[in-house]
Amino acid sequence: MQLVVARIGRAHGIKGEVTVEVRTDEPELRLAPGAVLATDPASTGPLTIATGRVHSGRLLLRFEGVSDRNGAEALRNTLLIAEIDPEELPEGEDEYYDHQLIDLDVVTEDGTEVGRITEISHLPSQDLFIVERPDGSEVLIPFVEEIVTEIDLEEQKAVIAPPPGLIDDRAVIDSNRDES
């Protein structure tokens, strides 16, 4: 399975380094020297990482065969794509790759269908499941232990214990009426 792990940004310096926008939780594994990555557009690659370093909080990479600023600038906006074994799991317990969570059915603890995970949004404070409901609307569910109580990859489902108002706006409206 192919997954986008980074997007190449602007050239840095004159020796062929580029900034990259990291799109993987494991840059030390996916973007390590020696890694061979496919590209989009395909005509740009494959690219082999020669060196990598962090500078002012940004990851800088240099690729084999790219030794000057012009060559680095020509790579700008190229997506870097890694070949991933679909059965591979992250090292930590209760950690998942995005591709494992996409398309999981989301149900409440009592079995009520909520929808299907269509996307994972990675925010600074937490990740969010973007869930498409059966009626086509979307609901955002924080991927936190208190709300997402179980991920069952074999059953292809995520079980949630939503607080009032998270998946049903009527609960918030009804509780507001009670307070009036």
Side-chain angles (χ1 to χ4, degrees):
M1 152 181 283
Q2 292 188 326
L3 295 175
V4 173
V5 293
R7 183 185 64 79
I8 298 175
R10 66 178 198 264
H12 178 83
I14 60 171
K15 296 184 179 180
E17 286 184 313
V18 294
T19 62
V20 294
E21 174 189 316
V22 176
R23 296 188 181 176
T24 177
D25 288 340
E26 301 174 316
E28 65 285 347
L29 175 66
R30 309 284 180 218
L31 301 171
V36 178
L37 302 167
T39 60
D40 182 8
S43 59
T44 307
L47 294 172
T48 302
I49 297 175
T51 63
R53 66 185 179 103
V54 176
H55 175 72
S56 298
R58 300 251 347 170
L59 179 60
L60 301 178
L61 297 179
R62 192 175 55 73
F63 300 98
E64 291 181 7
V66 179
S67 58
D68 62 16
R69 185 174 185 86
N70 291 337
E73 194 59 43
L75 298 174
R76 190 175 199 156
N77 292 321
T78 298
L79 296 177
L80 299 175
I81 303 166
E83 188 67 38
I84 310 285
D85 179 354
E87 302 301 315
E88 182 180 335
L89 296 172
E91 289 181 18
E93 189 176 327
D94 292 333
E95 290 183 8
Y96 305 93
Y97 292 126
D98 287 3
H99 70 271
Q100 295 172 301
L101 300 172
I102 300 292
D103 288 330
L104 290 185
D105 293 323
V106 178
V107 297
T108 61
E109 289 179 319
D110 67 6
T112 304
E113 179 185 10
V114 176
R116 183 180 56 82
I117 299 172
T118 58
E119 190 178 336
I120 312 294
S121 180
H122 300 282
L123 302 176
S125 59
Q126 67 195 21
D127 295 338
L128 289 175
F129 289 162
I130 299 174
V131 177
E132 184 177 325
R133 297 178 187 223
D135 67 5
S137 64
E138 288 185 338
V139 62
L140 304 178
I141 298 178
F143 187 21
V144 294
E145 192 174 337
E146 296 79 20
I147 296 173
V148 180
T149 58
E150 179 185 357
I151 298 289
D152 188 337
L153 296 178
E154 287 184 22
E155 294 289 323
Q156 288 290 288
K157 71 179 180 180
V159 179
I160 64 170
L166 181 65
I167 61 172
D168 187 359
D169 294 337
R170 288 184 301 254
V172 173
I173 294 168
D174 291 343
S175 68
N176 288 340
R177 283 189 187 140
D178 293 343
E179 294 173 7
S180 306

